[in-house]
Amino acid sequence: AKIGTLNWSADLTKTSPTLTQDGIVIIGIDTANTMKDSFSESKATRTPTFVVALVAFHFHPKSGWSHFCDHAVLRGKRQTFGTSGGSAGGDTETTATSATDEHYDVATSVADALRPFLVKMHVHFKDLEYTTVLCARGSESDGEIIKAQFHDPEVVSEFCKAHGKKGILVAAQRGSKTRFFFDPSTMNGCGKDLVNPPRGFYTADAVPLTDGNEELSSGFYVVGARCNLGHAKATKYNVISLGSSPVGVSKEIASLFYTLCFLFPNKADGLPYPLPLKAANRYANLFVLMSHLEKSLDDTLKPRLHYL
């Protein structure tokens, strides 16, 4: 897999024909953050650092699968401690890291990383056909998703209008607190206790995205992996924007993500998280630990699954 090809693949036209028959690019996005500290005799500084990993998988029934990835390193507001009296326990001052820096956080960092990545991805896949771009970002909280709706859809829409593509934006929450239980009698099981839903279970369209926000109301849950011990966690997919795609395509998106749960190279079975999102999560959490975050990824590594 590290040379750029998947260990196994799937024909997505059998599960999601409307989305994939003319080619699709599925982009997984995830963010990891850390604090970068520096010290001197009179003061200490702390700067929030965000690594946004973006992993794109191209699929077309004629050409098969292709891969492209990159990451961006963004800085938040810098805090300086001990600026008065030469004491580390002195005053605290918060300033921009540089004159051009924005006040990034986990929610807003994705948009600025996604815009240049879409351009690079389009150049890399210039000889491959595709009509749909599906961007899926990993998100933890409802608040992060609500904030992202004011930044991410515009970036995807601009790219799609410029290149004649259809754009879809989804936010996935694998830490959802919702649990589903099945009556064992409906599953040819035995016993009287409730059991976890089988893998492949997904809910109908129009699950509320967030409580108290009527503008965002489309979403669904998918159970991607089998769970026999404990409670199965269903990943919640919040559809932020369908672009010009028909509303009914949400069912195909659910089938698409379930199929992608079986394609992660290091696991010969289904995972709770689909391939692009799992790959982006691995990528971000690997690179955030490295000290040389300023360096960009070498071009020879971008088509490869180097983060495995």
Side-chain angles (χ1 to χ4, degrees), residues 124-211:
H124 182 78
F125 293 144
K126 65 181 184 297
D127 296 328
L128 300 174
E129 298 179 7
Y130 66 97
T131 59
T132 302
V133 178
L134 195 164
C135 296
R137 60 171 291 166
S139 304
E140 293 297 331
S141 66
D142 288 348
E144 181 182 335
I145 299 170
I146 292 173
K147 199 170 183 179
Q149 70 165 312
F150 299 106
H151 303 274
D152 299 358
E154 181 182 354
V155 175
V156 177
S157 177
E158 287 177 358
F159 172 81
C160 291
K161 287 180 180 178
H163 297 91
K165 310 296 182 183
K166 298 177 183 178
I168 300 173
L169 180 61
V170 177
Q173 292 175 282
R174 58 178 175 179
S176 170
K177 301 298 189 294
T178 304
R179 300 289 184 269
F180 297 92
F181 302 97
F182 273 55
D183 184 342
S185 64
T186 65
M187 302 173 60
N188 297 321
C190 58
K192 299 180 181 180
D193 296 332
L194 297 176
V195 297
N196 286 317
R199 64 182 180 187
F201 164 80
Y202 64 88
T203 60
D205 187 24
V207 173
L209 174 70
T210 57
D211 294 334

Coordinates of all heavy atoms in Angstrom, one line a residue, residues 124-211:
H124 N -3.0 17.1 -10.2 CA -2.5 15.8 -10.1 C -3.4 14.8 -10.9 O -2.9 13.9 -11.5 CB -2.4 15.3 -8.7 CG -1.8 14.0 -8.5 ND1 -0.5 13.7 -8.6 CD2 -2.4 12.8 -8.2 CE1 -0.3 12.4 -8.4 NE2 -1.4 11.8 -8.1
F125 N -4.7 15.0 -10.8 CA -5.7 14.1 -11.5 C -6.1 14.6 -12.8 O -7.2 14.3 -13.3 CB -6.9 13.9 -10.6 CG -6.6 13.1 -9.3 CD1 -7.3 13.5 -8.1 CD2 -5.7 12.1 -9.3 CE1 -7.1 12.8 -7.0 CE2 -5.5 11.4 -8.1 CZ -6.1 11.7 -6.9
K126 N -5.3 15.5 -13.5 CA -5.7 16.2 -14.7 C -6.0 15.2 -15.8 O -6.8 15.5 -16.7 CB -4.6 17.2 -15.1 CG -3.3 16.6 -15.5 CD -2.3 17.7 -15.9 CE -1.0 17.1 -16.4 NZ -0.3 16.3 -15.3
D127 N -5.4 14.0 -15.8 CA -5.6 13.1 -16.9 C -6.7 12.0 -16.6 O -6.9 11.1 -17.3 CB -4.3 12.3 -17.2 CG -3.2 13.2 -17.7 OD1 -3.6 14.2 -18.4 OD2 -2.0 13.0 -17.5
L128 N -7.3 12.2 -15.4 CA -8.4 11.3 -15.0 C -9.7 12.0 -15.0 O -9.8 13.2 -14.7 CB -8.0 10.8 -13.6 CG -6.7 10.0 -13.4 CD1 -6.5 9.7 -11.9 CD2 -6.7 8.7 -14.2
E129 N -10.7 11.2 -15.3 CA -12.1 11.8 -15.4 C -12.8 11.7 -14.0 O -12.7 10.7 -13.3 CB -12.9 11.0 -16.4 CG -12.4 11.1 -17.8 CD -13.2 10.3 -18.8 OE1 -14.3 9.8 -18.4 OE2 -12.8 10.2 -20.0
Y130 N -13.5 12.7 -13.7 CA -14.4 12.7 -12.5 C -15.3 13.9 -12.6 O -15.0 15.0 -13.2 CB -13.6 12.8 -11.2 CG -12.8 14.0 -11.0 CD1 -13.4 15.0 -10.1 CD2 -11.6 14.2 -11.5 CE1 -12.7 16.2 -9.9 CE2 -10.9 15.4 -11.2 CZ -11.4 16.4 -10.4 OH -10.7 17.5 -10.2
T131 N -16.5 13.7 -12.1 CA -17.5 14.8 -12.1 C -18.0 15.2 -10.7 O -18.6 16.3 -10.6 CB -18.8 14.3 -12.9 OG1 -19.3 13.2 -12.2 CG2 -18.5 14.0 -14.3
T132 N -17.6 14.5 -9.7 CA -18.1 14.8 -8.4 C -16.9 14.8 -7.4 O -16.0 14.0 -7.5 CB -19.1 13.7 -7.8 OG1 -20.2 13.6 -8.7 CG2 -19.6 14.0 -6.4
V133 N -16.9 15.8 -6.5 CA -15.9 15.9 -5.5 C -16.7 15.8 -4.1 O -17.5 16.7 -3.8 CB -15.1 17.3 -5.5 CG1 -14.2 17.4 -4.4 CG2 -14.4 17.4 -6.9
L134 N -16.3 14.8 -3.4 CA -17.0 14.6 -2.1 C -15.9 14.9 -1.0 O -15.0 14.1 -0.9 CB -17.6 13.2 -1.9 CG -18.5 12.9 -0.8 CD1 -19.3 11.6 -1.1 CD2 -17.9 12.8 0.6
C135 N -16.1 15.9 -0.2 CA -15.2 16.3 0.9 C -15.8 15.8 2.2 O -16.9 16.2 2.5 CB -14.9 17.8 0.9 SG -14.1 18.4 -0.6
A136 N -15.1 15.0 2.9 CA -15.6 14.5 4.3 C -14.5 14.9 5.3 O -13.4 14.5 5.3 CB -15.7 13.0 4.2
R137 N -14.9 15.8 6.3 CA -14.0 16.2 7.3 C -14.4 15.5 8.6 O -15.6 15.4 9.0 CB -14.1 17.7 7.5 CG -15.4 18.3 7.8 CD -15.3 19.8 8.2 NE -14.5 20.0 9.4 CZ -14.1 21.2 9.8 NH1 -14.2 22.2 9.0 NH2 -13.4 21.3 11.0
G138 N -13.4 15.1 9.3 CA -13.6 14.5 10.6 C -13.8 15.6 11.6 O -13.1 16.6 11.7
S139 N -14.9 15.5 12.4 CA -15.3 16.5 13.4 C -15.6 15.9 14.7 O -16.1 14.7 14.7 CB -16.5 17.3 12.9 OG -16.2 17.9 11.6
E140 N -15.4 16.6 15.8 CA -15.7 16.0 17.1 C -17.0 16.5 17.7 O -17.8 15.7 18.2 CB -14.5 16.4 18.1 CG -13.2 15.7 17.7 CD -13.3 14.2 17.8 OE1 -14.1 13.7 18.6 OE2 -12.5 13.6 17.1
S141 N -17.3 17.8 17.5 CA -18.5 18.3 18.2 C -19.4 19.0 17.3 O -19.1 19.3 16.1 CB -18.0 19.4 19.2 OG -17.4 20.5 18.6
D142 N -20.7 19.2 17.7 CA -21.7 19.9 16.9 C -21.2 21.3 16.7 O -21.4 21.9 15.6 CB -23.0 19.9 17.6 CG -23.7 18.5 17.5 OD1 -23.2 17.6 16.8 OD2 -24.7 18.2 18.3
G143 N -20.6 21.9 17.7 CA -20.2 23.3 17.6 C -19.1 23.5 16.5 O -19.2 24.5 15.8
E144 N -18.2 22.5 16.4 CA -17.2 22.6 15.3 C -17.9 22.6 13.9 O -17.5 23.3 13.0 CB -16.3 21.4 15.5 CG -15.2 21.4 14.4 CD -14.2 20.2 14.6 OE1 -14.1 19.7 15.7 OE2 -13.6 19.8 13.6
I145 N -18.9 21.7 13.8 CA -19.6 21.6 12.5 C -20.4 22.9 12.2 O -20.4 23.4 11.0 CB -20.6 20.4 12.5 CG1 -19.8 19.1 12.7 CG2 -21.3 20.3 11.2 CD1 -20.6 17.9 13.0
I146 N -21.1 23.5 13.2 CA -21.8 24.7 13.0 C -20.9 25.8 12.5 O -21.2 26.6 11.6 CB -22.6 25.1 14.3 CG1 -23.7 24.1 14.5 CG2 -23.2 26.5 14.1 CD1 -24.4 24.3 15.9
K147 N -19.7 25.9 13.1 CA -18.7 26.9 12.8 C -18.2 26.7 11.4 O -17.9 27.6 10.6 CB -17.6 26.9 13.8 CG -16.8 28.2 13.8 CD -15.9 28.3 15.0 CE -15.1 29.6 15.1 NZ -14.2 29.6 16.2
A148 N -18.0 25.4 11.0 CA -17.4 25.0 9.7 C -18.3 25.4 8.6 O -17.9 25.6 7.5 CB -17.1 23.5 9.7
Q149 N -19.6 25.4 8.8 CA -20.6 25.7 7.8 C -20.4 27.1 7.2 O -20.9 27.4 6.1 CB -22.0 25.5 8.3 CG -22.5 26.5 9.2 CD -23.9 26.6 9.5 OE1 -24.7 26.6 8.5 NE2 -24.4 26.6 10.7
F150 N -19.8 28.0 7.9 CA -19.6 29.4 7.4 C -18.3 29.5 6.7 O -18.0 30.6 6.1 CB -19.6 30.3 8.6 CG -20.9 30.3 9.4 CD1 -21.0 29.7 10.6 CD2 -22.0 30.9 8.9 CE1 -22.1 29.7 11.4 CE2 -23.2 30.9 9.6 CZ -23.3 30.3 10.8
H151 N -17.5 28.4 6.6 CA -16.2 28.5 5.9 C -16.0 27.5 4.8 O -15.7 27.9 3.7 CB -15.0 28.3 6.9 CG -15.1 29.3 8.1 ND1 -14.5 30.5 8.0 CD2 -15.6 29.2 9.3 CE1 -14.7 31.1 9.2 NE2 -15.3 30.3 10.0
D152 N -16.3 26.2 5.1 CA -16.0 25.2 4.1 C -16.8 25.1 2.9 O -16.3 24.9 1.8 CB -16.1 23.8 4.8 CG -15.1 23.7 6.0 OD1 -14.3 24.6 6.2 OD2 -15.1 22.6 6.7
P153 N -18.2 25.3 2.9 CA -19.0 25.2 1.7 C -18.6 26.2 0.6 O -18.6 25.9 -0.6 CB -20.4 25.5 2.2 CG -20.4 25.1 3.6 CD -19.0 25.5 4.1
E154 N -18.1 27.4 1.0 CA -17.7 28.4 0.0 C -16.5 27.9 -0.8 O -16.4 28.1 -2.0 CB -17.4 29.7 0.7 CG -17.0 30.8 -0.2 CD -16.7 32.1 0.5 OE1 -16.9 32.2 1.7 OE2 -16.3 33.1 -0.2
V155 N -15.6 27.3 0.0 CA -14.3 26.8 -0.7 C -14.7 25.7 -1.7 O -14.2 25.7 -2.8 CB -13.4 26.3 0.4 CG1 -12.1 25.6 -0.3 CG2 -12.9 27.4 1.3
V156 N -15.5 24.8 -1.3 CA -15.9 23.7 -2.2 C -16.7 24.2 -3.4 O -16.4 23.8 -4.6 CB -16.7 22.6 -1.5 CG1 -17.1 21.5 -2.4 CG2 -15.9 22.0 -0.3
S157 N -17.6 25.1 -3.1 CA -18.4 25.7 -4.2 C -17.6 26.5 -5.2 O -17.8 26.3 -6.4 CB -19.5 26.6 -3.6 OG -20.3 27.2 -4.6
E158 N -16.6 27.2 -4.8 CA -15.7 28.0 -5.7 C -15.0 27.1 -6.6 O -14.9 27.3 -7.8 CB -14.8 28.9 -4.9 CG -15.4 30.1 -4.2 CD -14.4 30.8 -3.4 OE1 -13.2 30.4 -3.3 OE2 -14.7 31.9 -2.8
F159 N -14.4 26.0 -6.1 CA -13.7 25.1 -6.9 C -14.6 24.4 -7.9 O -14.2 24.3 -9.1 CB -13.0 24.0 -6.0 CG -12.4 22.9 -6.8 CD1 -11.1 23.0 -7.3 CD2 -13.0 21.7 -7.0 CE1 -10.5 22.0 -8.0 CE2 -12.4 20.7 -7.7 CZ -11.2 20.8 -8.2
C160 N -15.7 23.9 -7.5 CA -16.6 23.2 -8.4 C -17.1 24.1 -9.5 O -17.3 23.7 -10.7 CB -17.8 22.6 -7.6 SG -17.3 21.3 -6.5
K161 N -17.4 25.3 -9.2 CA -17.9 26.3 -10.3 C -16.8 26.5 -11.3 O -17.0 26.7 -12.5 CB -18.4 27.6 -9.6 CG -19.7 27.5 -8.9 CD -20.1 28.8 -8.3 CE -21.5 28.7 -7.6 NZ -21.9 30.0 -7.0
A162 N -15.6 26.6 -10.8 CA -14.4 26.9 -11.7 C -14.1 25.8 -12.6 O -13.6 26.0 -13.7 CB -13.2 27.3 -10.8
H163 N -14.4 24.5 -12.2 CA -14.0 23.4 -12.9 C -15.1 22.5 -13.4 O -14.9 21.4 -13.9 CB -13.0 22.5 -12.1 CG -11.7 23.2 -11.7 ND1 -11.6 24.0 -10.6 CD2 -10.6 23.3 -12.4 CE1 -10.4 24.5 -10.5 NE2 -9.7 24.1 -11.6
G164 N -16.4 23.0 -13.2 CA -17.5 22.3 -13.7 C -17.8 21.0 -13.0 O -18.1 20.0 -13.7
K165 N -17.6 20.9 -11.7 CA -17.8 19.7 -10.9 C -19.0 19.8 -10.0 O -19.5 20.9 -9.7 CB -16.5 19.3 -10.1 CG -15.2 19.3 -10.9 CD -15.2 18.3 -12.0 CE -13.9 18.3 -12.7 NZ -13.8 17.3 -13.8
K166 N -19.5 18.7 -9.5 CA -20.5 18.7 -8.4 C -19.8 18.5 -7.1 O -18.9 17.7 -6.9 CB -21.5 17.6 -8.6 CG -22.2 17.6 -9.9 CD -23.2 16.4 -10.1 CE -23.9 16.5 -11.4 NZ -24.8 15.3 -11.6
G167 N -20.1 19.3 -6.1 CA -19.5 19.3 -4.8 C -20.4 18.9 -3.7 O -21.6 19.3 -3.6
I168 N -19.9 18.0 -2.8 CA -20.6 17.5 -1.6 C -19.7 17.7 -0.4 O -18.6 17.3 -0.5 CB -21.1 16.1 -1.8 CG1 -22.0 15.9 -3.0 CG2 -21.8 15.6 -0.5 CD1 -22.4 14.5 -3.3
L169 N -20.3 18.2 0.6 CA -19.5 18.4 1.9 C -20.2 17.7 3.0 O -21.4 17.9 3.3 CB -19.3 19.9 2.2 CG -18.5 20.3 3.4 CD1 -17.1 19.8 3.3 CD2 -18.5 21.8 3.6
V170 N -19.4 16.8 3.7 CA -20.0 16.0 4.8 C -19.0 16.1 6.0 O -17.8 16.2 5.8 CB -20.1 14.5 4.4 CG1 -20.6 13.7 5.6 CG2 -21.1 14.4 3.2
A171 N -19.6 16.2 7.2 CA -18.8 16.2 8.4 C -19.1 14.9 9.2 O -20.3 14.6 9.4 CB -19.1 17.4 9.3
A172 N -18.1 14.1 9.5 CA -18.3 12.8 10.2 C -17.9 12.9 11.7 O -16.9 13.5 12.0 CB -17.5 11.8 9.5
Q173 N -18.8 12.4 12.5 CA -18.5 12.4 14.0 C -18.5 10.9 14.4 O -19.5 10.3 14.5 CB -19.6 13.1 14.7 CG -19.7 14.6 14.5 CD -20.9 15.2 15.2 OE1 -22.0 15.1 14.7 NE2 -20.6 15.8 16.4
R174 N -17.3 10.4 14.6 CA -17.2 9.0 15.1 C -17.3 8.9 16.6 O -17.5 7.8 17.1 CB -15.8 8.5 14.7 CG -14.6 9.2 15.2 CD -13.3 8.5 14.8 NE -12.2 9.3 15.2 CZ -10.9 8.9 15.0 NH1 -10.7 7.7 14.4 NH2 -9.9 9.6 15.3
G175 N -17.3 10.1 17.3 CA -17.5 10.1 18.7 C -19.0 10.3 19.1 O -19.3 10.8 20.2
S176 N -19.9 10.0 18.2 CA -21.3 10.2 18.5 C -21.8 9.4 19.7 O -21.4 8.3 19.9 CB -22.2 9.8 17.3 OG -23.5 9.8 17.6
K177 N -22.6 10.1 20.5 CA -23.1 9.4 21.8 C -24.4 8.6 21.5 O -24.9 7.9 22.4 CB -23.4 10.5 22.8 CG -22.2 11.3 23.2 CD -21.1 10.5 23.9 CE -20.0 11.3 24.4 NZ -19.2 12.1 23.4
T178 N -24.9 8.6 20.3 CA -26.1 7.9 20.0 C -25.8 6.4 19.9 O -24.8 6.0 19.3 CB -26.7 8.4 18.7 OG1 -26.9 9.8 18.8 CG2 -28.0 7.7 18.4
R179 N -26.7 5.6 20.5 CA -26.6 4.1 20.4 C -27.9 3.5 19.9 O -29.0 4.0 20.1 CB -26.3 3.6 21.8 CG -25.0 4.1 22.5 CD -23.8 3.5 21.8 NE -22.6 4.0 22.5 CZ -21.9 5.1 22.2 NH1 -22.3 5.9 21.2 NH2 -20.8 5.4 22.8
F180 N -27.7 2.5 19.1 CA -28.8 1.8 18.5 C -28.8 0.3 19.0 O -27.8 -0.3 19.2 CB -28.7 1.8 17.0 CG -28.8 3.1 16.3 CD1 -27.6 3.8 16.1 CD2 -30.0 3.7 16.0 CE1 -27.7 5.1 15.5 CE2 -30.1 5.0 15.5 CZ -28.9 5.6 15.2
F181 N -30.0 -0.2 19.3 CA -30.1 -1.6 19.8 C -31.2 -2.3 19.0 O -32.2 -1.7 18.6 CB -30.5 -1.6 21.3 CG -29.5 -0.9 22.1 CD1 -29.7 0.5 22.5 CD2 -28.3 -1.5 22.5 CE1 -28.7 1.1 23.3 CE2 -27.4 -0.9 23.3 CZ -27.6 0.5 23.7
F182 N -31.0 -3.6 18.8 CA -31.9 -4.4 18.0 C -32.5 -5.5 18.9 O -31.9 -6.0 19.8 CB -31.2 -5.0 16.8 CG -31.1 -4.2 15.6 CD1 -30.6 -2.9 15.6 CD2 -31.6 -4.7 14.4 CE1 -30.5 -2.1 14.5 CE2 -31.5 -3.9 13.2 CZ -31.0 -2.6 13.3
D183 N -33.8 -5.8 18.6 CA -34.4 -7.0 19.2 C -33.8 -8.2 18.5 O -33.9 -8.4 17.3 CB -35.9 -6.9 18.9 CG -36.7 -8.0 19.6 OD1 -36.1 -9.0 20.0 OD2 -37.9 -7.9 19.7
P184 N -33.2 -9.1 19.3 CA -32.6 -10.3 18.7 C -33.5 -11.2 17.9 O -33.1 -11.9 17.0 CB -32.0 -11.0 19.9 CG -32.8 -10.5 21.1 CD -33.1 -9.1 20.8
S185 N -34.8 -11.1 18.2 CA -35.8 -12.0 17.5 C -35.9 -11.5 16.0 O -36.3 -12.3 15.1 CB -37.1 -11.9 18.1 OG -37.7 -10.6 18.1
T186 N -35.5 -10.3 15.7 CA -35.6 -9.8 14.3 C -34.3 -10.1 13.6 O -34.2 -9.8 12.4 CB -35.8 -8.3 14.3 OG1 -34.7 -7.6 14.9 CG2 -37.1 -7.9 15.1
M187 N -33.3 -10.7 14.3 CA -32.0 -10.9 13.6 C -31.7 -12.4 13.7 O -30.5 -12.8 13.6 CB -30.9 -10.1 14.3 CG -31.2 -8.6 14.3 SD -29.9 -7.8 15.3 CE -28.4 -8.2 14.5
N188 N -32.7 -13.3 13.8 CA -32.5 -14.7 13.9 C -31.6 -15.1 15.1 O -30.8 -16.0 15.0 CB -31.9 -15.3 12.6 CG -32.9 -15.1 11.5 OD1 -34.1 -15.2 11.6 ND2 -32.4 -14.8 10.3
G189 N -31.6 -14.2 16.1 CA -30.7 -14.5 17.3 C -31.5 -15.2 18.4 O -32.7 -15.5 18.3
C190 N -30.8 -15.4 19.4 CA -31.5 -16.1 20.6 C -31.3 -15.2 21.8 O -30.4 -14.3 21.8 CB -30.9 -17.5 20.8 SG -29.1 -17.5 21.1
G191 N -32.1 -15.4 22.8 CA -32.0 -14.6 24.0 C -33.0 -13.5 24.0 O -33.6 -13.2 23.0
K192 N -33.1 -12.8 25.1 CA -34.1 -11.8 25.3 C -33.4 -10.4 25.3 O -34.1 -9.4 25.3 CB -34.9 -12.0 26.6 CG -35.7 -13.3 26.6 CD -36.5 -13.4 27.8 CE -37.2 -14.8 27.8 NZ -38.0 -14.9 29.1
D193 N -32.1 -10.3 25.5 CA -31.5 -9.0 25.7 C -31.3 -8.3 24.3 O -31.2 -9.0 23.3 CB -30.1 -9.2 26.3 CG -30.2 -9.7 27.7 OD1 -31.2 -9.4 28.4 OD2 -29.2 -10.4 28.2
L194 N -31.3 -7.0 24.3 CA -31.1 -6.2 23.1 C -29.7 -6.4 22.7 O -28.8 -6.6 23.5 CB -31.4 -4.8 23.4 CG -32.8 -4.4 23.8 CD1 -33.0 -2.9 24.1 CD2 -33.8 -4.8 22.6
V195 N -29.4 -6.3 21.4 CA -28.1 -6.5 20.8 C -27.7 -5.3 19.9 O -28.6 -4.5 19.6 CB -28.0 -7.8 20.0 CG1 -28.3 -9.0 20.8 CG2 -29.1 -7.8 18.8
N196 N -26.4 -5.2 19.6 CA -26.0 -4.2 18.7 C -26.5 -4.4 17.3 O -26.8 -5.5 16.9 CB -24.4 -4.2 18.6 CG -23.8 -3.6 19.9 OD1 -24.2 -2.6 20.4 ND2 -22.8 -4.3 20.4
P197 N -26.7 -3.3 16.5 CA -27.1 -3.4 15.1 C -26.0 -4.1 14.3 O -24.8 -4.0 14.6 CB -27.3 -2.0 14.7 CG -26.5 -1.2 15.6 CD -26.5 -1.9 16.9
P198 N -26.4 -4.8 13.3 CA -25.4 -5.5 12.4 C -24.6 -4.4 11.6 O -25.1 -3.3 11.4 CB -26.2 -6.4 11.5 CG -27.5 -5.7 11.4 CD -27.7 -5.0 12.8
R199 N -23.4 -4.7 11.2 CA -22.6 -3.8 10.4 C -23.4 -3.7 9.1 O -23.9 -4.6 8.5 CB -21.2 -4.3 10.2 CG -21.0 -5.6 9.5 CD -19.6 -5.9 9.4 NE -19.3 -7.1 8.7 CZ -18.1 -7.7 8.6 NH1 -17.1 -7.2 9.2 NH2 -18.0 -8.9 7.9
G200 N -23.3 -2.5 8.5 CA -24.1 -2.2 7.3 C -25.4 -1.5 7.6 O -26.0 -1.0 6.7
F201 N -25.7 -1.4 8.9 CA -26.9 -0.7 9.3 C -26.7 0.8 9.1 O -25.7 1.3 9.5 CB -27.3 -1.0 10.7 CG -28.3 0.0 11.3 CD1 -29.6 -0.2 11.1 CD2 -27.9 1.0 12.1 CE1 -30.6 0.7 11.7 CE2 -28.8 1.9 12.7 CZ -30.1 1.8 12.4
Y202 N -27.7 1.4 8.5 CA -27.7 2.9 8.4 C -29.1 3.4 8.5 O -30.0 2.8 8.1 CB -27.0 3.4 7.1 CG -27.6 3.0 5.8 CD1 -28.6 3.8 5.3 CD2 -27.3 1.9 5.1 CE1 -29.3 3.5 4.1 CE2 -27.9 1.5 3.9 CZ -28.9 2.3 3.4 OH -29.5 2.0 2.2
T203 N -29.2 4.7 9.0 CA -30.5 5.3 9.2 C -30.9 5.9 7.9 O -30.2 6.2 7.0 CB -30.4 6.3 10.3 OG1 -29.5 7.3 10.0 CG2 -30.0 5.6 11.7
A204 N -32.2 6.3 7.9 CA -32.8 7.0 6.8 C -32.3 8.4 6.8 O -31.6 8.9 7.7 CB -34.3 7.0 6.9
D205 N -32.6 9.1 5.6 CA -32.1 10.5 5.5 C -32.9 11.4 6.5 O -33.9 11.0 7.0 CB -32.4 10.9 4.0 CG -31.9 12.3 3.7 OD1 -30.9 12.7 4.4 OD2 -32.4 13.0 2.8
A206 N -32.3 12.6 6.7 CA -33.0 13.7 7.4 C -32.9 13.5 8.9 O -33.7 13.9 9.7 CB -34.4 13.8 7.0
V207 N -31.8 12.8 9.4 CA -31.5 12.9 10.9 C -31.0 14.3 11.2 O -30.2 14.8 10.5 CB -30.4 11.8 11.2 CG1 -30.0 12.0 12.7 CG2 -30.9 10.4 10.9
P208 N -31.6 14.9 12.2 CA -31.1 16.3 12.6 C -29.6 16.3 12.8 O -29.0 15.5 13.4 CB -31.9 16.6 13.9 CG -33.1 15.7 13.8 CD -32.6 14.4 13.1
L209 N -29.0 17.4 12.2 CA -27.6 17.5 12.3 C -27.2 17.9 13.7 O -26.4 17.3 14.3 CB -27.1 18.6 11.3 CG -25.7 19.0 11.4 CD1 -24.8 17.9 10.9 CD2 -25.4 20.3 10.6
T210 N -27.7 19.0 14.2 CA -27.4 19.5 15.5 C -28.7 20.0 16.2 O -29.6 20.5 15.6 CB -26.4 20.6 15.5 OG1 -26.9 21.7 14.7 CG2 -25.1 20.2 14.9
D211 N -28.7 19.8 17.5 CA -29.9 20.3 18.2 C -29.9 21.8 18.2 O -28.9 22.5 18.4 CB -29.8 19.9 19.7 CG -29.9 18.3 19.8 OD1 -30.5 17.7 18.9 OD2 -29.3 17.8 20.8

